């Protein structure tokens, strides 16, 4: 025992010198860090976990049967590892219906016969076997467009957007941050004022989209269109596909709708420009898995705290839902596998944290951070819901009045939230979200991982993932800085979001850092400092 | 008349100062060059030509119905433009059978259902409707492999190669040459001796491939395999597909065979590694278009010479056949459209060349420069055919003894051959193929195109396309240096070889240069100098 105590004393890393005087010196247990690194680097389970999640379970559209399988499998792994309080928590507001697809093919039959590369949008109906129709170009983006094409779409397969020219790939698809780019990331641009006009424009755009989508869906049905096709958002034949139709029971789901490779979409559009008759056959086997709206589920589990702060919680999380074109390997199987692995590592090294360490695998992130927002609102606090339904449909960032925070019981008990959701690249640092006081803490925590490439703390904010649900209500929620690899060039929401584009070593590195951050946050004398809450 | 003569005199560009003394000064008619540029840049037809060839006719596998359509359509255009001697010329040796496909789909049915991205290899049979089987991994690359898997493949869909890991795209997919890379291209590495061992190894490898392919085809049939699948040669879901089976009547065509996106191929292979049962459904609608071997056809047309050298010929050419995954836009629709456009331009500007200018649109290039080799051997000359059939099957470069050239009647009448077949990128210069004496001539000819990026003459050889058929027998055949764009990264032989990856301005530039080169070669006092013939 004595030997261990001495060793622990010897390896205490003392930091925090940059922090203001009231902040206690930051200590890192390097002995524990070493055990975490060893477990993460040499006994890693992160790739088997990710493989099971993405290839044996598959892509995990929110409320799909595969997502339910993922909830069940992650619970079983957590139980196997001896975690506590393993459970799914249903979101308060029913998410909608589940949807899944099994096959999809589009064939050009004439003027020449060849297969077109396309996948269905989620929450759009299948075709009930092969259906045929002539392609018809009709940009449908406004009510005026609907008027313009009224009565013209019967039996047509409607190409609802304009052709999009190939954009030459003059930069490498795949890249890591360099010392220079990391250094640049440390600078912050003081944000310009958002004018009322700009905000109103954004609100208006959102409002129009909310209003237009059901009109378009119903219009295509009323017209008797056979199917609708849009171009993929990526070039080079890559299929970027997300949702269409509607997940809400009782709303119009429109006609079978697909995203097609830009190259094939443009080929059809050019033929239509030449006034050729383009005959297509579409066959989509897809279905909604219930008639009624169902809740969506977050999966949670804990390593209970054993110290004086055991009622406080450090949460690590990642969204488990994905889109359906690939297998959701980088978005966000990687985050899920890393968070799971971090919990496994902490158990394997025999961590006995002061605070409770909780893992949260969110649902509905791809539909607007829904799972984490629901969880945070019920457990930690929320801004009052607007009474105006139009206002309620606005995301928090676009609401006119946020109001005054209504903290829930455990608002004071959240020590930290750490999220991973920027693809499969290794961790290069952390976004401090303009929380000045955490910077020296994180710098100290990152020091033992400088040698594996994690070096920077930036005051920059990053958004679009679940730490925002915490940050919104003033809780210390953070997302790591990661190497992009090919996430934002090829992989994001596309059919290339599969295991092949994952770098196993990167996920091992990330697992070690997350486990260490969770442990440090669970062991330090105070919860992480909070920044001032932005209310209005 | 006088004004024109004066003008012509004023614009004569005098070059050739670097050439040896016996070479006459090189003159370029800048007035004609200006007319050519104007026609090419401001009245271009190159994109309509390419669009018709690739999207209205489609990909043009040698001896496919689409290739026959392309022969007919190009003849009709040549007649429309008033070219002479418009005709198809059949290759002496029957090429084989035609083949075409209309649809192809592969679905994973279990353990989870989703569509896999794959296209059939040319000259492999269709499935006659959907067929199902379990995937089975069996690397089949040697006779020993066939022995190893004998009796194990009945009813299987055989994955005949190993999985191939994703190679991160750390360089840009799309690039142009820079001043630096062009400058570097001017240096030549003195070739190392090819050892007898190296040559024998290459011969052996080729021999084994020739011997193994029919064995593999027949083995898969004898075993009762349902289909065979290989991974695409490109990453990122791109399908690089060429031929399989056999085009020769009477030879085994094997079982339905497809190339699958590497990401999907690897997914199946990993499932098989985990001992999962992977059930697939394959549906390929493909057929051979004849039972007997048929000849393949080159298409030819001329602007007859009107001067004292009218019996001599300047040939410009490009192969019209393509692979079938895309539409053969860069390989080599671009070359065909540029060569056609060059002829149209020469007619449009009223060129009255001294020598005859001939356009040759080759067939069978993708199967080994067959169309051009046949044409050259019958019209200009050849090395004697070996009597040993094994030796005859070897390409010229691997034959032990080339023998002594047997010139045909018109061997002496070829003034120059110019080829374009390195994708859709603009011309940056020309490969002189170690023909020292042409360098100063080409430098002079390129001068009026320096301003549009065509600047270098390199002594380097380039191979793998139809100018080799001329160069092999000592005729002055040349291929232009072109910007790569994304030709050698994504497009070559893949489903991305489509119009979207073409840059129209580049083809306009190339059309002007080719027209000008053809005109200069047809007008100069002498035929282009020839280099010493390599015989052994």
């Amino acid at each position: 025992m004595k030997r261990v105590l001495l060793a622990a004393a010897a390896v205490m890393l003392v930091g925090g010198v940059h922090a203001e005087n009231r902040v206690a010196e930051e200590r890192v247990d390097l002995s524990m860090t070493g055990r975490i690194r060893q477990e993460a680097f040499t006994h890693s389970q992160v790739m088997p976990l990710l493989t099971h999640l993405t290839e044996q379970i598959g892509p995990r559209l929110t409320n799909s049967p595969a997502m339910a399988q993922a909830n069940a499998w992650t619970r079983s792994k957590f139980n196997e590892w001896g975690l506590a309080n393993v459970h799914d928590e249903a979101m308060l507001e029913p998410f909608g219906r589940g949807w899944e697809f099994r096959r999809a093919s589009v064939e050009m039959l004439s003027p020449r016969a060849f297969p077109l590369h396309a996948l269905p949008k989620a929450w759009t109906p299948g075709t009930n076997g092969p259906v045929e129709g002539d392609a018809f170009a009709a940009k449908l983006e406004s009510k005026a467009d609907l008027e313009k094409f009224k009565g013209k779409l019967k039996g047509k397969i409607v190409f609802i957007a304009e052709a999009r020219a190939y954009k030459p790939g003059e930069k490498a698809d795949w890249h890591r941050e360099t010392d220079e780019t990391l250094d640049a990331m440390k600078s912050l641009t003081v944000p310009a004022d958002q004018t009322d006009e700009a905000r109103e424009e954004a609100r208006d755009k959102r409002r129009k989209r909310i209003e237009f989508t059901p009109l378009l869906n119903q219009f295509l049905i009323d017209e008797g269109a056979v199917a609708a096709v849009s171009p993929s958002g990526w070039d080079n034949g890559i299929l970027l596909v997300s949702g269409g139709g509607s997940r809400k029971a009782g709303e119009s789901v429109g006609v079978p709708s697909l995203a097609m490779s830009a190259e094939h979409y443009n080929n059809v559009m050019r033929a239509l420009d030449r006034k050729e008759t383009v005959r297509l056959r579409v066959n989509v086997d897809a279905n909604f898995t219930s008639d009624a709206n169902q809740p969506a589920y977050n999966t949670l589990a804990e390593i209970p705290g054993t110290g004086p702060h055991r009622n406080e919680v450090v949460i690590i999380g990642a969204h488990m839902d994905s889109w359906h074109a690939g297998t959701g390997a980088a978005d966000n199987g990687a985050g899920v596998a890393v968070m799971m692995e971090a919990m496994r590592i902490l158990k394997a090294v025999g961590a006995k944290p002061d605070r409770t360490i909780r893992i949260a695998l969110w649902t509905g992130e791809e539909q607007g951070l829904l799972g984490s927002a629901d969880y945070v609102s019920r457990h930690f606090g929320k801004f009052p819901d607007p009474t105006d339904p139009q206002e309620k449909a606005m995301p928090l960032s676009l609401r006119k009045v946020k109001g005054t925070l209504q903290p829930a019981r455990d608002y004071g008990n959240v020590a930290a939230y750490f999220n991973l959701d920027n693809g499969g690249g290794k961790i290069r640092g952390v976004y401090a979200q303009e929380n000045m006081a955490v910077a020296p803490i994180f710098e100290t925590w990152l020091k033992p991982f400088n040698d594996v490439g994690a070096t920077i703390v930036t005051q920059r904010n990053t958004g679009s993932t679940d730490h925002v649900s915490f940050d919104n209500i003033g809780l210390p929620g953070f997302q790591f800085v990661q190497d992009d690899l090919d996430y934002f060039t090829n992989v994001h929401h596309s059919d290339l979001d599969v295991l092949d584009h994952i770098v196993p070593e990167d996920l091992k590195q990330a697992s070690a850092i997350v486990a260490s951050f969770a442990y440090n946050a669970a062991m330090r004398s105070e919860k992480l400092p909070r920044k001032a809450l932005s209310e209005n």
Side-chain angles (χ1 to χ4, degrees), chain A:
Chain A
M1 290 299 283
K2 199 172 181 189
R3 193 187 57 77
V4 172
L5 280 173
L6 274 172
V11 295
M12 282 295 175
L13 184 77
V14 180
V17 287
H18 311 296
E20 62 174 310
N21 292 338
R22 281 171 300 166
V23 175
E25 275 184 342
E26 195 61 28
R27 286 160 193 279
V28 171
D29 180 345
L30 285 186
S31 174
M32 177 56 88
T33 308
R35 297 214 293 285
I36 287 172
R37 281 172 59 124
Q38 192 171 34
E39 181 67 23
F41 297 167
T42 62
H43 301 100
S44 178
Q45 286 295 309
V46 74
M47 284 308 292
L49 291 170
L50 182 59
T51 302
H52 189 99
L53 185 69
T54 58
E55 300 212 330
Q56 294 176 266
I57 293 174
R60 302 159 306 283
L61 189 73
T62 305
N63 270 22
S64 66
M67 180 64 184
Q69 276 180 53
N71 291 125
W73 172 73
T74 52
R75 288 197 316 272
S76 78
K77 294 307 285 186
F78 294 151
N79 282 316
E80 178 188 324
W81 298 337
L83 302 191
N85 298 330
V86 178
H87 69 288
D88 287 351
E89 200 169 298
M91 286 172 55
L92 190 63
E93 198 167 329
F95 170 83
R97 304 198 282 167
W99 179 91
E100 58 181 351
F101 88 111
R102 285 161 293 280
R103 64 165 290 168
S105 64
V106 182
E107 297 159 73
M108 191 188 282
L109 304 177
S110 68
R112 61 189 184 86
F114 74 104
L116 300 169
H117 192 36
L119 285 173
K121 297 183 183 180
W123 295 295
T124 60
T127 54
N128 271 315
V131 292
E132 292 184 17
D134 289 346
F136 188 93
K139 192 179 79 165
L140 298 176
E141 292 175 0
S142 68
K143 286 194 225 176
D145 291 337
L146 302 190
E147 277 308 308
K148 183 175 163 191
F149 290 104
K150 201 173 161 71
K152 294 179 180 164
L153 306 184
K154 187 165 179 57
K156 303 297 186 194
I157 294 171
V158 188
F159 282 57
I160 63 171
E162 290 176 329
R164 200 194 66 246
Y166 167 71
K167 198 170 164 295
E170 298 185 63
K171 288 186 182 167
D173 286 346
W174 194 98
H175 74 278
R176 291 193 183 279
E177 301 298 340
T178 62
D179 289 347
E180 288 70 35
T181 61
L182 286 171
D183 209 49
M185 217 178 282
K186 285 195 248 175
S187 77
L188 184 81
T189 305
V190 175
D193 285 344
Q194 201 191 11
T195 61
D196 283 351
E197 292 76 34
R199 180 180 226 168
E200 205 41 57
E201 203 174 302
R203 285 169 57 86
D204 198 51
K205 206 171 153 190
R206 173 68 69 124
R207 214 161 20 219
K208 278 189 177 143
R209 186 150 64 88
I210 292 170
E211 186 190 23
F212 182 66
T213 302
L215 293 180
L216 173 61
N217 288 341
Q218 194 55 44
F219 175 76
L220 290 167
I221 292 176
D222 292 344
E223 284 286 307
V226 168
V229 186
S230 313
S232 163
W234 295 130
D235 290 327
N236 290 321
I238 301 169
L239 293 176
L240 184 157
V241 195
S242 55
S246 172
R247 65 178 194 263
K248 294 291 187 190
E251 289 187 1
S252 173
V253 297
V255 297
S257 300
L258 304 99
M260 181 176 284
S261 85
E263 281 83 354
H264 284 167
Y265 191 91
N266 293 349
N267 184 303
V268 171
M269 292 293 282
R270 284 188 292 264
L272 295 177
D273 281 348
R274 294 189 299 266
K275 313 291 180 205
E276 292 175 8
T277 299
V278 179
R279 188 79 180 165
L280 303 178
R281 182 190 290 141
V282 179
N283 192 352
V284 176
D285 181 8
N287 65 283
F288 290 84
T289 56
S290 70
D291 289 330
N293 291 328
Q294 304 284 347
Y297 297 87
N298 299 312
T299 295
L300 299 127
E302 292 177 352
I303 298 173
T306 54
H309 299 101
R310 68 172 68 92
N311 289 330
E312 293 174 1
V313 64
V314 173
I315 310 176
I316 62 174
H319 73 89
M320 189 147 69
D321 66 295
S322 77
W323 288 111
H324 58 294
T327 59
D331 188 14
N332 188 13
V336 169
V338 164
M339 293 299 162
M340 292 177 76
E341 172 71 351
M343 294 302 271
R344 189 198 66 77
I345 290 167
L346 289 170
K347 287 296 287 186
V349 300
K352 302 279 180 237
D354 177 0
R355 297 186 179 82
T356 292
I357 300 176
R358 183 178 300 161
I359 182 171
L361 302 178
W362 308 117
T363 188
E365 191 271 354
E366 296 294 2
Q367 290 73 43
L369 322 182
L370 300 180
S372 58
D374 174 88
Y375 185 85
V376 166
S377 73
R378 288 195 289 140
H379 291 272
F380 305 131
K382 64 173 183 176
F383 289 95
D385 280 334
T387 46
D388 174 11
Q390 269 210 354
E391 194 66 17
K392 198 180 166 190
M394 287 286 149
L396 207 56
S397 59
L398 288 179
R399 283 191 194 157
K400 275 195 174 149
V401 179
K402 282 162 83 175
T404 303
L405 181 71
Q406 302 167 330
R409 191 192 61 190
D410 291 330
Y411 185 72
N413 290 330
V414 179
Y417 173 72
F418 298 109
N419 194 75
L420 199 72
D421 182 25
N422 282 353
K426 70 178 169 189
I427 289 175
R428 306 306 302 272
V430 60
Y431 294 98
Q433 302 282 133
E434 296 189 68
N435 181 333
M436 291 304 291
V438 299
I441 301 168
F442 286 165
E443 276 164 16
T444 309
W445 293 3
L446 282 177
K447 273 207 184 86
F449 297 98
N450 286 175
D451 65 340
V452 288
T455 55
I456 69 152
V457 179
T458 170
Q459 284 299 324
R460 290 190 188 180
N461 288 274
T462 190
S464 304
T465 183
D466 294 298
H467 71 288
V468 170
S469 298
F470 292 80
D471 188 61
N472 267 339
I473 64 161
L475 294 177
F478 304 96
Q479 157 75 26
F480 292 95
V481 175
Q482 297 176 254
D483 274 337
D484 273 353
L485 310 185
D486 51 357
Y487 187 61
F488 290 112
T489 47
N490 288 342
V491 163
H492 192 230
H493 297 186
S494 88
D495 57 341
L496 294 186
D497 188 1
V498 295
L499 213 53
D500 304 80
H501 292 256
I502 294 293
V503 180
E505 296 69 28
D506 283 22
L507 299 191
K508 293 180 190 177
Q509 184 255 27
S511 306
I513 293 173
V514 170
S516 177
F517 265 56
Y519 186 76
N520 291 341
M523 296 302 284
R524 76 191 298 271
S525 56
E526 303 287 332
K527 290 173 292 185
L528 284 185
R530 299 182 181 188
K531 64 182 180 185
L533 179 62
S534 156
E535 292 180 306
N536 65 351

